[in-house]
Amino acid sequence: MGTSGTAARADQAGNSDALEHLARVGLIAYGVVHLLLAWLSLQLAWGGGGGSADQSGAMSTLAAQPFGKALLWVLALGLLALAVWQLAEVLRHRAGLQASGDARKDALATIAKAIAKTVIYLVLAYTAIRFATGGGQSSSGQEEQAVAGVLGWPGGRYLVGAAALALLGVGAYLVHKGVTKRFLKEIDTVDASATQRRLIERLGQVGYPAKGVALAVVGALLGWAAITFDPDKAGGLDDAMQTILSAPFGQALLTLVALGIAAFGVFCLFRARFPERT
């Protein structure tokens, strides 16, 4: 009774109109962050300068605009709503952990993805709040400091290596998700026109692999830091974009990745317009 009651309350919370409206705002916020990230990456590719090509750079760019701090508060609220929505997913599928076979595997996969998304949304919301209150700063160098701290722990190299493998896995999953069109399960296009459905499909096919490539490069940098035991080899998303730029035909490659991330951002806007029904 306790488990079923919790699941029922999670269903009620996850499907409430108020939370759905806030989650739509969060999806728009998530899309805007990726559009800003794409813009910063394009500036990097074409020598336009600007801020860091990562989430902190995107938040900093938004904070510098008229009414930017007010918009950051709206973004933070929407992202927090998305986090609550994902936590409701965890509670909703918790009963599946008592099952066996494929049902249990599906529940575990769903809960793991929901927890990962919750963490992402909470981190982005925290970043938005920091910049909204004037306490935000560029993440440049922070990744190296964090990796240096972990490498100093007993078995730290293996922890960093495990994190690198996880990022590489997520990157590969996103590429696979885009190629196989599994992203279509996350959006309800029943009310969309045929033209909108085709556009949504193309955006996902381009956006998910581009985001996957960017995360895979971050994972590769982290893995190299673990192998060489050198935290300076690690880096975040901005360093990944710099690495892509320094590769052969880097300008063209980074431009393609930036356009793909922009496509993912627009896909998020469509998700806000046509949210999934769970």
Side-chain angles (χ1 to χ4, degrees), residues 124-197:
L124 284 174
Y126 173 76
T127 304
I129 291 172
R130 291 276 293 174
F131 277 96
T133 57
Q137 59 182 358
S138 171
S139 61
S140 177
Q142 293 182 10
E143 294 87 358
E144 290 86 347
Q145 294 175 11
V147 171
V150 175
L151 286 175
W153 299 351
R157 172 180 285 182
Y158 300 104
L159 291 175
V160 173
L165 290 175
L167 281 172
L168 287 168
V170 171
Y173 169 74
L174 290 177
V175 172
H176 178 263
K177 190 174 183 178
V179 172
T180 59
K181 304 180 186 179
R182 293 189 63 177
F183 56 84
L184 292 175
K185 296 180 179 180
E186 299 179 350
I187 187 168
D188 184 358
T189 57
V190 172
D191 297 328
S193 67
T195 300
Q196 287 175 322
R197 284 195 291 270

Side-chain angles (χ1 to χ4, degrees), residues 27-157:
L27 287 169
I28 292 172
Y30 201 49
V32 168
V33 168
H34 282 83
L35 288 172
L36 288 172
L37 176 58
W39 172 243
L40 291 171
S41 299
L42 283 173
Q43 285 186 311
L44 177 63
W46 293 93
S52 299
D54 57 11
Q55 292 88 342
S56 66
M59 298 294 183
S60 177
T61 299
L62 188 57
Q65 307 308 310
F67 307 107
K69 291 187 176 181
L71 289 174
L72 283 169
W73 281 111
V74 174
L75 261 64
L77 180 62
L79 290 165
L80 288 172
L82 278 178
V84 173
W85 204 1
Q86 291 303 318
L87 284 175
E89 284 290 290
V90 173
L91 296 175
R92 184 181 295 124
H93 290 88
R94 191 177 66 172
L97 297 177
Q98 306 302 320
S100 59
D102 291 340
R104 188 170 188 272
K105 290 180 181 178
D106 290 342
L108 280 170
T110 300
I111 289 173
K113 287 189 287 186
I115 291 174
K117 289 180 180 180
T118 298
V119 172
I120 291 171
Y121 296 145
L122 287 175
V123 169
L124 284 174
Y126 173 76
T127 304
I129 291 172
R130 291 276 293 174
F131 277 96
T133 57
Q137 59 182 358
S138 171
S139 61
S140 177
Q142 293 182 10
E143 294 87 358
E144 290 86 347
Q145 294 175 11
V147 171
V150 175
L151 286 175
W153 299 351
R157 172 180 285 182

Side-chain angles (χ1 to χ4, degrees), residues 1-12 91-92 94-96 98:
M1 290 293 291
T3 301
S4 61
T6 300
R9 287 192 294 272
D11 280 331
Q12 183 178 6
L91 296 175
R92 184 181 295 124
R94 191 177 66 172
Q98 306 302 320

Side-chain angles (χ1 to χ4, degrees), residues 44 217 221 233 236-248 250:
L44 177 63
V217 175
L221 292 174
K233 297 294 192 299
L237 197 53
D238 183 58
D239 296 282
M241 297 303 184
Q242 297 277 1
T243 300
I244 294 172
L245 182 61
S246 64

Side-chain angles (χ1 to χ4, degrees), residues 191-236:
D191 297 328
S193 67
T195 300
Q196 287 175 322
R197 284 195 291 270
R198 284 194 297 271
L199 178 58
I200 289 168
E201 185 174 318
R202 297 294 179 269
L203 289 169
Q205 286 178 301
V206 174
Y208 276 93
K211 187 174 180 181
V213 168
L215 287 179
V217 175
V218 175
L221 292 174
L222 199 58
W224 187 239
I227 292 171
T228 60
F229 207 71
D230 183 358
D232 289 338
K233 297 294 192 299

